């Protein structure tokens, strides 16, 4: 990082800490991975190399029933406000960079609450909660500093999305980020904040929202060596991105140890939604993927770590925790009071001591635009109107790019009928290509036909996937016992009329409180060509 940037940062934090008296409020590091699936961490899948996260999980508390929203913006809304997105109008989709969409200003963000308790508050990484007006950007919503991007995706090296540059330090375009890998940039800045802050004078809250492992799939080459055995290029890069993020977290933990934060530190790690299994991530063996109401789209890997603040540690916590709970839980850990009216429940004692959760139910989502919704009560999950597009069970994509990856009802094997069709297609095309080459005696023709065959094979396999997805058309009402059937294989709605009616009535009660989804049209004024080639506030 540039010396001028470091100097300015030291001055900023010095001003913030100069008059604060010592106290015992814990330092809080809240880390969010982007699109990280259930099967994409080392303590669940040993094929993924995450030694730092594994160590934190082993010494802390593994969250085995932790849930988020199916997509990015809704989850981040829940983290920062403690409200279900259907109470903020952000339940449908994500915020596009040219869309005047944001969390309404009447909602108080977590850092705003923590600042009143004396915290220094810093955000590093991906915002994705609206920026069309500066009042909706991080430094106007409770953060003392912001280092990262406003929008939801973008190149990890160029930091461009849709022809616009998107990287900020506070409210200023930070051009020095160009050519530098986002995960490494975020880790470096996080370490600098840790080094510049005095942990004895003021508690620190850092919200670290990595852009990894969201597309585009990019990672420095050194992280690919461990995964050379993976034939599928996308899965190989994706796995490297997970390991790069883990190494970044390791660097941050080293800084926290060296600067004496550990005796009063609380660290949380979670994902914003399930894996995009249709690209390269993996929520296996859970059903579905990102964007869906299935467990594979909403149940996320997570952990809580503290060297001193957990009365019970080194165990797996099976109590229900939802994204909306992090707001009141972290606030309670900091010594704050439970806010009135929010959807989140204070889970601090649950995580600290292993007590039973006060949460017995939660809403996966209510999306009146898509026409679907889901609720969990106890062990039962009711889905109304379908779960979304990706309805199957997806193994990690380890083979070549066009190999079939979805699975039928047996899960362990490809559906036999599909397998037979696949073999027939391959055999027929191969026989045709061989015969043609023998007749012509032309190697170039053989190569051309082979290339054509591969393209046709891949295209046909993708069509087979689409056919199978359509076969999985869902009934209007589905009921699953998640405790007995965590993979959602058996719809038990028939024969459980009273349970279905109970959950439907409860869901309908929540629907009466729904705020209509905010879906404004895109605004041409937002385009980078009018904003000095950057994504910038000031057009709404």
């Amino acid at each position: 990082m540039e010396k001028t940037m470091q100097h300015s940062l030291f001055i900023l934090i010095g001003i913030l800490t100069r008059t604060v008296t010592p106290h015992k409020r814990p330092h809080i590091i809240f880390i969010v991975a982007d699109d990280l699936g259930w099967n994409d961490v080392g303590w669940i899948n040993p094929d993924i190399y995450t030694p730092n996260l594994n160590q934190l999980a082993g010494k802390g508390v593994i969250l085995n029933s932790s849930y988020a929203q199916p997509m990015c913006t809704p989850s981040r809304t829940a983290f920062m406000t403690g409200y279900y997105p259907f109470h903020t109008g952000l339940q449908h989709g994500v915020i596009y960079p040219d869309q005047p969409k944001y969390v309404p200003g009447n909602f108080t963000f977590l850092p705003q609450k923590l600042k009143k308790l004396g915290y220094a508050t810093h955000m590093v990484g991906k915002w994705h909660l609206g920026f069309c007006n500066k009042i909706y950007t991080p430094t106007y919503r409770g953060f003392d500093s912001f280092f990262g991007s406003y929008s939801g995706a973008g190149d990890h090296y160029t930091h461009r999305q849709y022809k616009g540059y998107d990287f900020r330090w506070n409210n200023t375009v930070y051009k020095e980020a160009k050519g530098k890998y986002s995960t490494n940039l975020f880790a470096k800045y996080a370490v600098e904040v840790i080094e510049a802050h005095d942990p004895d004078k003021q508690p620190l809250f850092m919200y670290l929202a990595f852009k990894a492992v969201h597309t585009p799939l990019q990672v420095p080459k050194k992280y690919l060596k461990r995964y050379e055995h993976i034939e599928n290029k996308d899965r190989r890069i994706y796995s490297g991105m997970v390991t790069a993020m883990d190494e970044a977290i390791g660097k941050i933990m080293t800084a926290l140890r060296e600067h004496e934060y550990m005796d009063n530190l609380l660290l949380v790690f979670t994902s914003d939604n399930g894996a995009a299994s249709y690209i390269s991530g993996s929520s296996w063996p859970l059903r579905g993927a990102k964007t869906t109401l299935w467990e594979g789209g909403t149940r996320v890997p997570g952990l809580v770590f503290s060297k001193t603040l957990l009365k019970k540690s080194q165990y797996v916590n099976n109590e229900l925790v939802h994204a909306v709970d992090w707001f009141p839980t972290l606030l309670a850990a900091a010594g704050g009071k439970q806010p009135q009216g929010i959807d989140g429940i204070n889970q601090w004692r649950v995580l600290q001591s292993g007590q039973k959760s006060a949460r017995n139910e939660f809403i996966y989502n209510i999306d009146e635009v898509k026409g679907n919704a889901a609720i969990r009560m106890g062990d039962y999950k009711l889905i109304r109107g379908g779960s979304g597009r990706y309805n199957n069970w997806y193994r990690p994509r380890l083979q070549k790019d066009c190999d079939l990856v979805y699975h039928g009802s047996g899960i362990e094997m490809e559906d036999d009928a599909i397998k037979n069709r696949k073999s027939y297609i391959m055999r027929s095309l191969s026989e045709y290509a061989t015969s043609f080459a023998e007749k012509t005696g032309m190697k170039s023709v053989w190569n051309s036909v082979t290339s054509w065959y591969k393209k046709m094979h891949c295209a046909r396999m993708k069509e087979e996937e689409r056919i199978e997805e359509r076969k999985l058309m869902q009934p209007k009402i589905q009921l699953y016992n998640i405790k007995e059937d965590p993979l959602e294989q058996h719809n038990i709605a028939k024969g459980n009329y009273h349970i279905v009616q109970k959950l439907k009535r409860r869901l309908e009660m929540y629907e009466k409180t729904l705020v209509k989804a905010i879906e404004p049209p895109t605004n041409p004024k937002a385009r980078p060509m009018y904003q000095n080639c950057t994504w910038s506030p000031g057009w709404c």
Side-chain angles (χ1 to χ4, degrees):
M1 212 68 66
E2 299 295 319
K3 290 183 179 179
T4 55
M5 178 178 169
Q6 288 180 328
H7 181 67
S8 300
L9 179 61
F10 295 157
I11 293 173
L12 170 66
I13 296 179
I15 293 171
L16 290 170
T17 61
R18 201 168 292 152
T19 59
V20 179
T21 55
H23 51 75
K24 295 295 182 180
R25 299 193 193 278
H27 306 293
I28 301 172
I29 309 295
F30 185 37
I31 303 176
V32 177
D34 197 344
D35 287 4
L36 186 72
W38 178 258
N39 193 44
D40 289 331
V41 290
W43 70 83
I44 294 175
N45 178 4
D47 292 334
I48 297 291
Y49 185 67
T50 54
N52 295 293
L53 285 170
N54 288 4
Q55 185 178 40
L56 293 172
K59 293 183 178 181
V61 178
I62 294 173
L63 304 178
N64 201 42
S65 295
S66 181
Y67 288 82
Q69 297 297 126
M71 296 185 75
C72 174
T73 294
S75 283
R76 291 161 203 268
T77 301
F79 294 149
M80 289 292 108
T81 69
Y83 283 90
Y84 289 125
F86 69 85
H87 282 153
T88 67
L90 292 170
Q91 64 269 32
H92 178 71
V94 298
I95 297 175
Y96 294 103
D98 56 354
Q99 191 178 28
K101 184 176 174 181
Y102 45 82
V103 181
N106 59 305
F107 289 96
T108 302
F109 275 31
L110 176 60
Q112 292 173 307
K113 288 285 189 180
L114 292 174
K115 280 180 72 66
K116 291 182 179 180
L117 295 175
Y119 275 78
T121 58
H122 299 277
M123 182 185 168
V124 184
K126 168 179 167 178
W127 180 237
H128 212 187
L129 290 174
F131 69 92
C132 65
N133 188 304
K134 66 179 181 180
I135 64 174
Y136 304 121
T137 60
T139 55
Y140 288 83
R141 305 214 75 161
F143 288 104
D144 294 328
S145 77
F146 169 63
F147 185 78
S149 58
Y150 285 151
S151 60
D155 191 283
H156 290 277
Y157 286 98
T158 66
H159 313 293
R160 291 175 62 83
Q161 182 183 14
Y162 302 128
K163 300 182 179 180
Y165 184 74
D166 182 20
F167 208 103
R168 297 270 165 169
W169 181 46
N170 294 329
N171 302 311
T172 303
V173 176
Y174 184 67
K175 295 183 179 180
E176 290 83 351
K178 292 180 180 179
K180 299 173 183 175
Y181 189 56
S182 68
T183 299
N184 296 340
L185 272 172
F186 298 151
K188 189 171 183 181
Y189 183 81
V191 168
E192 288 180 357
V193 170
I194 291 166
E195 291 175 344
H197 184 79
D198 187 339
D200 294 325
K201 289 185 177 181
Q202 186 180 22
L204 170 68
F205 172 65
M206 181 184 294
Y207 173 41
L208 175 55
F210 285 105
K211 289 175 70 175
V213 285
H214 195 289
T215 53
L217 300 177
Q218 297 168 313
V219 73
K221 289 183 179 179
K222 69 175 184 177
Y223 297 103
L224 298 175
K225 293 181 180 179
R226 181 171 292 274
Y227 301 104
E228 289 178 345
H229 62 286
I230 298 178
E231 295 181 22
N232 183 283
K233 182 180 178 181
D234 285 350
R235 181 63 182 177
R236 186 164 63 248
I237 297 173
Y238 179 94
S239 301
M241 292 174 75
V242 178
T243 297
M245 180 177 63
D246 178 83
E247 184 178 287
I249 292 170
K251 291 177 180 178
I252 291 165
M253 293 307 299
T254 296
L256 290 167
R257 282 190 291 269
E258 290 178 350
H259 294 274
E260 301 182 356
Y261 286 80
M262 297 299 289
D263 288 340
N264 193 27
L265 174 73
L266 175 64
L267 182 142
V268 174
F269 175 83
T270 185
S271 179
D272 63 346
N273 46 247
S277 304
Y278 42 88
I279 300 176
S280 54
S282 175
S283 290
W284 174 264
L286 302 178
R287 187 175 186 177
K290 172 186 176 181
T291 75
T292 75
L293 296 173
W294 297 115
E295 296 293 285
T298 56
R299 188 175 175 183
V300 294
L303 66 88
V304 176
F305 168 83
S306 178
K307 183 180 175 182
T308 58
L309 302 175
L310 301 177
K311 297 178 181 178
K312 183 179 179 182
S313 60
Q314 300 184 40
Y315 76 104
V316 176
N317 187 306
N318 291 304
E319 299 299 307
L320 290 179
V321 178
H322 190 269
V324 294
D325 296 337
W326 289 118
F327 184 107
T329 299
L330 297 180
L331 195 59
K337 295 180 180 179
Q338 170 84 19
Q340 296 296 314
I342 68 171
D343 297 308
I345 294 175
N346 174 12
Q347 303 271 26
W348 178 228
R349 290 185 179 180
V350 177
L351 302 178
Q352 187 184 37
S353 306
Q355 297 181 12
K356 287 289 182 181
S357 175
R359 178 175 292 288
N360 188 52
E361 69 175 30
F362 66 85
I363 299 296
Y364 287 82
N365 199 25
I366 302 175
D367 188 336
E368 78 278 20
V369 180
K370 291 181 179 178
N372 65 3
I375 184 173
R376 171 82 174 266
M377 289 185 68
D379 296 333
Y380 291 100
K381 174 181 180 178
L382 181 128
I383 304 171
R384 191 193 64 199
S387 288
R389 177 181 176 186
Y390 303 101
N391 302 309
N392 227 312
W393 295 265
Y394 306 87
R395 284 188 184 275
R397 291 180 180 262
L398 301 178
Q399 306 303 318
K400 291 181 180 179
D401 293 352
C402 65
D403 281 5
L404 211 58
V405 296
Y406 59 85
H407 302 266
S409 58
I411 300 182
E412 294 300 327
M413 298 284 290
E414 289 178 344
D415 180 87
D416 288 338
I418 301 170
K419 196 181 224 181
N420 292 336
R421 286 198 297 274
K422 176 181 176 183
S423 298
Y424 173 78
I425 295 164
M426 291 177 66
R427 187 167 59 252
S428 298
L429 288 173
S430 180
E431 288 173 357
Y432 171 76
T434 302
S435 174
F436 190 89
E438 287 176 351
K439 289 179 181 179
T440 60
M442 297 174 64
K443 188 175 181 179
S444 60
V445 174
W446 166 257
N447 290 337
S448 297
V449 173
T450 301
S451 177
W452 170 81
Y453 149 67
K454 288 180 179 178
K455 290 179 181 179
M456 289 294 294
H457 168 58
C458 288
R460 187 60 182 264
M461 288 304 100
K462 289 176 181 178
E463 178 59 25
E464 293 289 354
E465 287 194 38
R466 287 191 287 270
I467 291 170
E468 286 306 305
E469 291 290 351
R470 288 197 291 271
K471 283 183 179 179
L472 288 169
M473 294 297 290
Q474 303 163 55
K476 187 175 180 180
I477 293 293
Q478 300 176 77
L479 181 70
Y480 298 92
N481 185 318
I482 298 301
K483 183 177 181 180
E484 296 180 1
D485 180 24
L487 307 187
E488 298 173 290
Q489 295 176 270
H490 308 291
N491 178 10
I492 58 173
K494 292 182 180 179
N496 287 284
Y497 175 82
H498 294 295
I499 297 174
V500 169
Q501 291 305 310
K502 180 181 179 180
L503 269 67
K504 280 180 66 178
R505 285 193 296 269
R506 189 67 173 166
L507 185 58
E508 288 165 359
M509 183 204 75
Y510 278 104
E511 282 184 301
K512 293 177 182 178
T513 68
L514 178 142
V515 174
K516 187 177 179 180
I518 302 169
E519 283 300 311
T522 58
N523 189 332
K525 294 179 181 179
R527 294 172 186 169
M529 62 185 294
Y530 303 121
Q531 304 284 343
N532 197 26
C533 298
T534 65
W535 290 109
S536 300
W539 42 275
C540 77

